[in-house]
Amino acid sequence: MPSSALAIIFALLAAILMGTIGVLARFAALPAEHITFYRLLLGALFLLAYMLLTGKGQQIRHRPSKRTLYPNNLKMQDSAEI
């Protein structure tokens, strides 16, 4: 199967799973904060597992450069004023 077809299948699967959140929330009888917390926790755990399984574990502890954090040559003092 071509990679573009696989990407479309994964996008559709993600959309379907995101669409089921309302149904699950209605039957879960939990506050919205709890549902959001567990959704984010599961997402983080799946991303962690994916990164470890694909050999990208070293990127987990990567720190962005100052150029990434402060684009357009803004200095740290200028960003506090914005």
Side-chain angles (χ1 to χ4, degrees):
M1 181 179 300
S3 62
S4 61
L6 189 60
I8 291 172
I9 290 172
F10 282 145
L12 288 172
L13 182 63
I16 291 168
L17 289 174
M18 287 294 291
T20 62
I21 294 301
V23 175
L24 292 175
R26 186 171 295 259
F27 290 115
L30 291 172
E33 296 86 5
H34 292 185
I35 294 170
T36 303
F37 173 78
Y38 288 115
R39 281 182 60 205
L40 293 174
L41 179 66
L42 284 173
L45 291 175
F46 278 112
L47 282 175
L48 176 66
Y50 171 78
M51 290 184 76
L52 292 175
L53 291 173
T54 58
K56 298 180 181 182
Q58 72 276 5
Q59 293 180 358
I60 295 171
R61 295 184 56 101
H62 172 75
R63 293 178 184 244
S65 67
K66 287 186 179 179
R67 185 176 179 189
T68 303
L69 294 174
Y70 304 105
N72 301 328
N73 297 325
L74 291 175
K75 295 182 181 177
M76 294 176 94
Q77 305 96 327
D78 295 339
S79 64
E81 296 172 3
I82 295 176

